[in-house]
Amino acid sequence: MISDPDVVGLLYLVTIVCFVIALRFLSSPKHARKGNWVGGAGMLVAIATTLLFEGIGNWALIAVGATIGTVVGVVGARNVRMTAMPQMVAIFNGVGGGAAALVALAEWHNEAGPAWDSTTSIVLSALIGSISFAGSIIAFAKLQELLSGRPIVFPGQNVVNILVLLAATGLGMAAVAGVHEQWVLWALVALALLFGVMFVLPIGGADMPVVISLLNAFTGIAASATGFVLDSTVLIVSGMLVGAAGTLLTLLMAKAMNRSIANVLFGAFGQVQAGAGTARADDGRTVRATTPDDVAVQLSFARKVIVVPGYGMAVAQAQHDVRQLADILEGRGVDVRYAIHPVAGRMPGHMNVLLAEANVPYTQLSEMDEINPEFAQTDVALVIGANDVTNPAARSDPGSPIYGMPILDVDKAASIVVLKRSMNPGFAGIDNELYLDSKTTMLFGDAKESILKLISAVKAQ
Amino acid sequence: MISDPDVVGLLYLVTIVCFVIALRFLSSPKHARKGNWVGGAGMLVAIATTLLFEGIGNWALIAVGATIGTVVGVVGARNVRMTAMPQMVAIFNGVGGGAAALVALAEWHNEAGPAWDSTTSIVLSALIGSISFAGSIIAFAKLQELLSGRPIVFPGQNVVNILVLLAATGLGMAAVAGVHEQWVLWALVALALLFGVMFVLPIGGADMPVVISLLNAFTGIAASATGFVLDSTVLIVSGMLVGAAGTLLTLLMAKAMNRSIANVLFGAFGQVQAGAGTARADDGRTVRATTPDDVAVQLSFARKVIVVPGYGMAVAQAQHDVRQLADILEGRGVDVRYAIHPVAGRMPGHMNVLLAEANVPYTQLSEMDEINPEFAQTDVALVIGANDVTNPAARSDPGSPIYGMPILDVDKAASIVVLKRSMNPGFAGIDNELYLDSKTTMLFGDAKESILKLISAVKAQ
Amino acid sequence: MRVAVPRETAPGERRVALVPETVSKLRATGFDVSIERAAGNAAGFPDEAYADAGAELVDGAALASGADCIARVARPSPSEVEAMSPGTVLIGFLDPLTDSEGLARLRQREIVAFAMESIPRITRAQSMDALSSQATVSGYKAVILAADRIPRLFPMLMTAAGTIAPVRALVIGAGVAGLQAIATTRRLGAVVSAFDVRPTVQEQVESLGAAFLDLGVRTEETEGGYARELTPEQQAQQQAALEERIPEFDVVITTAAVPGRAAPKLIPASAVERMRPGSVIVDLAAETGGNCEATVPGEVVELGGVTVIGTTNLPSLMAYHSSQLYSRNVSALLLHLAPDGELVLDWEDEITAGACVTRPVSGE
Amino acid sequence: MRVAVPRETAPGERRVALVPETVSKLRATGFDVSIERAAGNAAGFPDEAYADAGAELVDGAALASGADCIARVARPSPSEVEAMSPGTVLIGFLDPLTDSEGLARLRQREIVAFAMESIPRITRAQSMDALSSQATVSGYKAVILAADRIPRLFPMLMTAAGTIAPVRALVIGAGVAGLQAIATTRRLGAVVSAFDVRPTVQEQVESLGAAFLDLGVRTEETEGGYARELTPEQQAQQQAALEERIPEFDVVITTAAVPGRAAPKLIPASAVERMRPGSVIVDLAAETGGNCEATVPGEVVELGGVTVIGTTNLPSLMAYHSSQLYSRNVSALLLHLAPDGELVLDWEDEITAGACVTRPVSGE
Amino acid sequence: MTPLPLVIELTILVLAAFLGFEVISKVPTMLHTPLMSGANFIHGIVIVGAIIVLGNANDTFTKIVGFIAMVLATANVVGGWFVTDRMLGMFKRRPEPKKDGP
Amino acid sequence: MTPLPLVIELTILVLAAFLGFEVISKVPTMLHTPLMSGANFIHGIVIVGAIIVLGNANDTFTKIVGFIAMVLATANVVGGWFVTDRMLGMFKRRPEPKKDGP
Ligand SMILES: NC(=O)c1ccc[n+]([C@@H]2O[C@H](COP(=O)([O-])OP(=O)(O)OC[C@H]3O[C@@H](n4cnc5c(N)ncnc54)[C@H](OP(=O)(O)O)[C@@H]3O)[C@@H](O)[C@H]2O)c1
Ligand SMILES: NC(=O)c1ccc[n+]([C@@H]2O[C@H](COP(=O)([O-])OP(=O)(O)OC[C@H]3O[C@@H](n4cnc5c(N)ncnc54)[C@H](OP(=O)(O)O)[C@@H]3O)[C@@H](O)[C@H]2O)c1
Ligand SMILES: NC(=O)c1ccc[n+]([C@@H]2O[C@H](COP(=O)([O-])OP(=O)(O)OC[C@H]3O[C@@H](n4cnc5c(N)ncnc54)[C@H](O)[C@@H]3O)[C@@H](O)[C@H]2O)c1
Ligand SMILES: NC(=O)c1ccc[n+]([C@@H]2O[C@H](COP(=O)([O-])OP(=O)(O)OC[C@H]3O[C@@H](n4cnc5c(N)ncnc54)[C@H](O)[C@@H]3O)[C@@H](O)[C@H]2O)c1
């Protein structure tokens, strides 16, 4: 009773289910990797189904194309450095967009006089796919430093951009209205490519991940449009899943950077942006701001955490919350210790007074000499409003007013998270090299508020 | 270019979108009411579309039927007491299931020789709809106390149930296999009704909400099956939305009661259940256990909360967490005070010592005489491990060992939440009437753990 | 009904039985109050405050005459008893379990005497429970005395000049005074352990964040919540265990008592000698002989560098607050005996009957 | 290099310059240490402990001879200076800003004297900063003294006998000692306000959970973090403001100081008289004349029921811990002056030059 | 409506099922009953089926069955909506925060 | 495949869009990039389109275009998957809790 199309449809449904589960799993640390495997399985089902049931030929071409694509993909993905991952995502996203545009072109070429709805889909697929392709290539080039990471701007850029986009849209409307000439779509693709380039060029390197995520959503929508062209539910659904999820993710990423999406995309048109909380040392090293969620993941996956309280914890009166965070981590099996520098705070024993008030057992407190050797085995040093007492200048810079003071060796920890409100110096009035360390991230904000956010985030893990 | 079916489809799509948004909104306290309105709008669109586009007649019958249904619905929903809401949900759910079953019967009657897939849908719609109808009626009767709220059991009940269900399934399979006799479906409906009755009869009154939620999901699935019969996407989607959401909700409800769903549904077959943490006084008043989530909603919506700490807070060493909870509530604009009974704890000033340790400002602490008049204007009295000092027997029972001791008038508050581990008495060794008060709910567990859960739950609000 | 409050005559007694705040409350209920001049001075309550509260200020000689009730802190001297007219109600710490002579004197003079010590420790009598209120002050003060005497800081401090280790304190006997001592020691930042023979106490100690030191000695609790006396074997066992553990501590506060008996001797002198020099023992049981062999009641002595504080009557050193608390206890008792300012002695009542230590024969 | 530690001779001085723990550390670095017999007794460090740590125990007479350095707490008496051989290094509190006579004596004897007070308060000298370490002890002890003297309980307690209101405390001058006093008062449960003329202090006070009392008087901070002296108008303004606010408080702890000057008089006697009877003032500035007009340095006086504690040298009352801290300061300085046990005086060095108050002419 | 391929209907069904699960991910216990009631109202969409059946009914049997279905489905819709609305009426608005909190 | 009514495809599209939004409701920041990469892999499903076009190509133009599409789409699928997998490989397992906590 079951017909061929039914089997195909069911198999594609399997793919859809796999993809939904994959996305679900990918959004929780516990299942993320499994999610990718489930997605992979779904993809295999879809490919096999297409090959087996869609009555096709040109096997050799398909095989050769697939082989080339596979080699490119595997080699690209395998050999890239871990830090270059974002540009890899960009490039693979771009080729997906390109594929969608090409499929649209082929359909435009093949169908004699497609209906208005089919044409609409073809136009959308070509337009969006091309933008995504070109934009992704530029994003790749910028991240790979083939192009300057700086925003590239010229006067009147936004006017030009809008005109290009309008022209492309006009062509598309003409096509839908029935102008079935080959050049129409080619011209449209050309304009879309141009737009993609110009859209991404003015965006700075730090904002690139947000842009890539947006282009990713674009590619999803292009794939979905392709599905309309080919009457393929699996394409419609999968593409749209990515379109929607990607859009939401883009918003989330912008939010995590404390930026509006408009600011990310168009902020640079007037001005070169200095990404929130990102400062740059003279030698080009930058300060990296982080988010409570990220710190929460770091803490949750840590085996050993050392809390380094300083005057900022006292000012914020965060001691009770610090203890609560430590308790939660301890409860999860993390080894938590407090490192008390002899002059942390503004009076002898300042940290003791506060931590005793918060009921931290004395046995968890360690003196500097005792704890310093332990930083090397520490996953996260959580520096809470301490500054001078962690400043490596005391060891290395004879000109510094704090030279010679023994400090807590937080820089020996595998990673360092610093909670303070700004890049302002502490008591000694000097900058802290530690904040430029590549292992350091800064969680800006009042220490009490940051800790409260951390507690929520850790609990949500 | 747009055809009639397209318009119909688009309008139904509007309905679907409305329903999704409605469900989304209904799951957050802020938007819940709006959600219901959005759902209502969607329903109107669907009904109008059907009336206008589906090429139908029998207008008079439709109008009369709709009028009768509306009157029943409005009168039923408007006049029922607030406490009788659950049985109203049950009855309206039941009639929905009945409608689905009847539509299936009509189709069975009308279609000459339906295809296997159509038949399957008809069978499912009839079967599930009937179970839901009968089950809901019984649930209604039990809650309305037309039937005893107690589980009604007889020996061998589960065997009979399974046999009935098997028989119904057998008939369904026969129909799918091609036996297109009218009686087949009638018989199936009869068996399904019987099963519905017997399925719900053995379940106790306290568990009824979970059962109603399950039957609700059933009706959704029946509606979805009807959609397959009628080739109506709006029915398929809306029905399935409810089917899935209802199933998840059923699981959540069971979880909130700390029960497995199997235990709820089949637990009574052996034994009469005494719902978790529910105790019954001699005069039939019961102790009501609550959950952190519910208390969190109560607290978040309160204008004034009085915290009543007692020896249990000291034993649990929950003072720091209590203060944190209070701080969060204060931050949300709730007026929080601490009522300190002169002999709370086990030494003079016990609560002062602990709350000072937790840095609760003295100005938030109130003596008994000062705070007692304020309970009448208090939304929630949060009693944390205090017992004797809240026991109304001190006022009313001259035989009680604590008679004559002044107590905190927590029973004057609009609602009382008591955190303790069990129904065990306190220092004086006597039961506390307060726990039987209809305004009191108990949050059982170690006070520290309960408070930590409350903090999470309040933050999630 | 007129209540008279004398100036205390016992040596070192700075408290006063009623403070001005309570006087005005009593007057509002219908009592008349006379106060001996300068009665509140030592506790920080000047005569003007009493006058403002509506008390009549009288000279000592005139006080007893015309008074229906005399409220005081310490027991009266023989001459003071002599000055009271028969039938007068007397309220105060009368030491009923040990001062049989004093009681006989009162009985002879036909005084209706209520001993604050004898008020049953039941829930509804808590507001009259002066043993508890004064023990609260003693427990707190014991810690302050120790902190003042010891050449160390209580809290841990990590400073540029090295780390100061926290004081390790032991509280023996975690009744009302002991619990308050635990709380105060912890407040100051010391690491506190506590020990008691009553089994229910462990939870209470832990509810204050201190550690319970288990010496393996347990006894039951009496009706009133007091400890039973230990058997001689148990006592020996306890002494041995303490002798071993005591040297770990810098501060020891003892409060162990069994009503009506001499305080159990818990800390042998040998254990004191093994403590670090500079350590301090505060013996709150000094009044009944002390829990420590080295204790000299009423004195501060040194033994091998260890200071043993046997100071008695600590509440008197905190006369302001302890008078305030005591005054509330007394007024609660007065309001119980004379609800509207008129004496209504109900001998069926548990509190009235329990607290009364001598009464007219007719009533017996 | 041999370091000699005498037994302190100043009246009431119980501290000792090196404790056994530090002695062993110094010996490990190459120092020899001689200790006068019984030098550590008063502080709780017996001779045996020193012997175990590797110190040579010598008699007082023999101490100075053969010592390259003498480490002590208080300044030496004239005869003690006489006993030192020229070129000896002397370390101690030498009072360089006020005791010009003593300095002259040392210079004449060609002593290389380092005053602990003169060590610059820069970051890397923090471990030698004895002013801070001793002020920490003073701040703590001031609170204990107040708690012992006041007839009240510090914390709030709500009991069956009524509520005890918490003590309201004011700390004037929130330097090292003041901050520690704030912390300790808060620990005991009092409600604490604090006041200082340096603007940066407000945040520090609040970082301890206390309230800052704003009297509208501000002055700048010097390089070293000290306060500048107030102008006469400012001083008058401050006195007036304090006179008004002081009676609100039960406990006042004053620590206001300007280095090298007499302590500013902040609390007029009239303000003291307006305080509630039983209140306590602890004047940590007593040594330099006191912040309170009623203060008698070295004495405890009463004025209208208010106790004014002018006890000086509080660290000596906590000799165990204050010696321990001081000893670490001294050894940090020693290790700075003689890194491997051999004296290397680098007169370019900020600390060496800053701390030295008399040195051989050749070096000047 | 024109009959759809079964597999398309199934695809739609599966998507709706996932969506149903996801959309109510986190409901506070207090909203369980209102949400149940709201969902109950939504499956009143079966009224569309009832209208179609009754509207196209030609024989008496179908008319009777359709009519009853119509009555029941309408009761489901109308009653379900009003019950939900009444329940949600109990949720008053949260008071405005007096000050900024964590 | 047989062409579907547009409105059905739209229905499916809308459901998928909702589902896409709902399914990633709460992602920790740390997973943003892996999730983006995983989503990137999933839109590689356009490979199905490429296969269909290339498999049914009869003229050279279509073959060329289809072939390029095939290469690109395959690269998207394969590269996307491996990149995601490598990124996720960085997430080590959390250590086992030593004791019970809150
Ligand atoms: N302990 C003593 O006895 C004593 C006495 C006097 C001086 N000192 C000196 O004080 C210093 C102590 O070192 P430290 O590391 O504890 O403190 P620090 O070097 O003074 O640094 C404190 C840091 O806390 C941050 N902070 C302030 N308020 C905050 C808030 N509400 N939330 C989050 N961060 C906040 C500040 O940065 P943002 O402004 O960017 O937030 C500041 O950089 C040393 O230089 C020491 O020499 C110590
Ligand atoms: N303040 C004084 O000076 C003093 C001195 C002596 C006696 N008393 C007497 O002590 C009593 C004090 O009254 P109260 O209301 O404070 O205490 P209570 O009446 O003794 O009640 C304490 C309650 O706390 C609960 N609890 C214990 N541990 C807990 C934990 N870890 N988590 C949650 N709940 C816990 C217990 O119930 P579960 O076991 O079910 O959890 C118990 O019912 C009065 O009767 C008073 O007369 C007072
Ligand atoms: N029901 C009430 O309302 C009420 C009121 C006040 C006090 N109480 C209870 O009465 C009890 C007694 O209080 P108290 O402080 O007046 O008692 P107390 O002064 O008689 O004794 C002090 C403590 O010493 C302990 N002790 C006795 N012998 C000991 C030994 N050999 N070794 C170690 N410890 C020993 C006792 O157990 C007691 O805890 C307390 O538990 C208190 O909670 C109850
Ligand atoms: N850099 C370092 O490492 C370091 C080391 C130790 C101390 N310090 C700083 O040095 C400062 C001085 O500390 P100190 O305690 O030795 O100072 P101090 O003993 O000289 O004075 C005590 C306090 O009295 C205050 N004061 C002076 N005149 C006053 C007046 N008229 N009214 C009110 N208050 C008045 C001062 O501001 C100071 O806070 C502190 O801030 C301390 O943090 C810094």
Side-chain angles (χ1 to χ4, degrees), chain A residues 203-223:
Chain A
I203 300 175
D207 291 339
M208 229 18 108
V210 181
V211 176
I212 297 176
S213 176
L214 185 69
L215 294 174
N216 191 31
F218 279 9
T219 308
I221 293 170

Side-chain angles (χ1 to χ4, degrees), chain C residues 340-352:
Chain C
D340 305 302
E342 288 311 320
L343 208 61
V344 198
L345 294 181
D346 169 9
W347 297 116
E348 301 298 300
D349 179 75
E350 192 181 357
I351 299 173
T352 311

Side-chain angles (χ1 to χ4, degrees), chain B residues 132-322:
Chain B
S132 178
F133 177 74
S136 298
I137 301 297
I138 299 298
F140 171 81
K142 285 196 147 204
L143 286 174
Q144 198 70 354
E145 291 177 6
L146 305 176
L147 281 174
S148 155
R150 292 284 189 78
I152 299 174
V153 279
F154 61 84
Q157 192 163 22
N158 36 4
V159 177
V160 175
N161 278 5
I162 289 171
L163 287 181
V164 171
L165 192 57
L166 278 181
T169 317
L171 284 173
M173 276 159 48
V176 172
V179 185
H180 190 234
E181 302 284 341
Q182 287 302 311
W183 67 265
V184 174
L185 206 64
W186 284 103
L188 183 147
V189 166
L191 286 171
L193 290 173
L194 181 60
F195 178 78
V197 170
M198 296 208 304
F199 169 65
V200 177
L201 265 186
I203 298 175
D207 292 338
M208 232 14 113
V210 180
V211 175
I212 297 175
S213 177
L214 185 69
L215 293 173
N216 191 31
F218 278 10
T219 308
I221 294 170
S224 191
T226 315
F228 276 83
V229 179
L230 300 175
D231 274 315
S232 160
T233 47
V234 71
L235 272 177
I236 296 178
V237 174
S238 313
M240 198 58 217
L241 276 177
V242 175
T247 306
L248 181 56
L249 183 58
T250 309
L251 295 175
L252 290 177
M253 286 169 83
K255 201 175 141 208
M257 294 172 71
N258 255 326
R259 310 270 302 275
S260 81
I261 183 77
N263 181 285
V264 170
L265 297 182
F266 309 116
F269 278 116
Q271 187 79 27
V272 177
Q273 285 282 313
T278 302
R280 212 171 255 276
D282 299 339
D283 56 2
R285 287 180 301 168
T286 54
V287 166
R288 292 182 306 144
T290 182
T291 66
D293 281 321
D294 279 336
V295 180
V297 175
Q298 271 181 286
L299 292 174
S300 303
F301 282 83
R303 244 170 300 266
K304 177 166 188 150
V305 171
I306 296 183
V307 175
V308 180
Y311 182 56
M313 184 187 80
V315 171
Q317 288 282 294
Q319 58 270 27
H320 290 91
D321 312 290
V322 168

Side-chain angles (χ1 to χ4, degrees), chain D residues 121 126 129 132 175-176 196-198 225-227 230 238 255-257:
Chain D
R121 285 188 130 170
Q126 279 173 324
D129 185 354
S132 283
V176 178
D196 199 306
V197 289
R198 286 182 296 132
Y226 295 106
L230 298 181
Q238 187 181 2
T255 78

Side-chain angles (χ1 to χ4, degrees), chain A residues 125-298:
Chain A
S125 178
L127 181 73
I128 304 176
S130 302
I131 294 177
S132 177
F133 178 73
S136 299
I137 300 297
I138 299 298
F140 171 79
K142 285 196 150 211
L143 287 175
Q144 196 72 353
E145 292 178 3
L146 304 176
L147 283 174
S148 155
R150 292 284 190 77
I152 299 175
V153 281
F154 60 87
Q157 192 163 21
N158 36 5
V159 177
V160 175
N161 278 4
I162 290 171
L163 288 180
V164 171
L165 192 58
L166 280 181
T169 317
L171 285 175
M173 276 158 50
V176 172
V179 186
H180 189 236
E181 302 285 340
Q182 286 302 310
W183 67 265
V184 174
L185 205 65
W186 284 102
L188 183 147
V189 165
L191 287 171
L193 290 173
L194 182 60
F195 179 78
V197 170
M198 297 207 306
F199 169 65
V200 176
L201 265 187
I203 300 175
D207 291 339
M208 229 18 108
V210 181
V211 176
I212 297 176
S213 176
L214 185 69
L215 294 174
N216 191 31
F218 279 9
T219 308
I221 293 170
S224 189
T226 315
F228 276 83
V229 180
L230 298 176
D231 274 315
S232 162
T233 47
V234 70
L235 272 177
I236 297 178
V237 173
S238 312
M240 197 57 216
L241 276 177
V242 175
T247 306
L248 181 57
L249 184 57
T250 309
L251 296 174
L252 291 178
M253 285 170 83
K255 202 175 140 210
M257 295 172 69
N258 255 326
R259 310 271 302 276
S260 82
I261 182 77
N263 182 283
V264 169
L265 296 182
F266 309 116
F269 278 116
Q271 187 80 28
V272 177
Q273 285 279 313
T278 302
R280 211 172 256 277
D282 299 337
D283 56 3
R285 287 181 300 168
T286 55
V287 165
R288 292 182 306 143
T290 182
T291 65
D293 281 321
D294 279 334
V295 180
V297 174
Q298 272 181 284

Side-chain angles (χ1 to χ4, degrees), chain D residues 10 72-76 90-107 113-119 131 258-261 287-288 326 355 357-358:
Chain D
R72 50 186 307 136
V73 180
R75 57 186 177 210
L90 173 65
I91 293 175
F93 282 119
L94 304 177
D95 231 342
L97 292 180
T98 45
D99 184 20
S100 48
E101 203 179 309
L103 283 200
R105 211 164 19 233
L106 290 172
R107 191 170 294 117
F114 292 90
M116 295 305 285
E117 296 99 324
S118 301
I119 292 175
L131 282 184
V258 180
R261 316 250 169 180
E287 199 122 20
T288 55
Y326 183 72
V357 289
T358 67

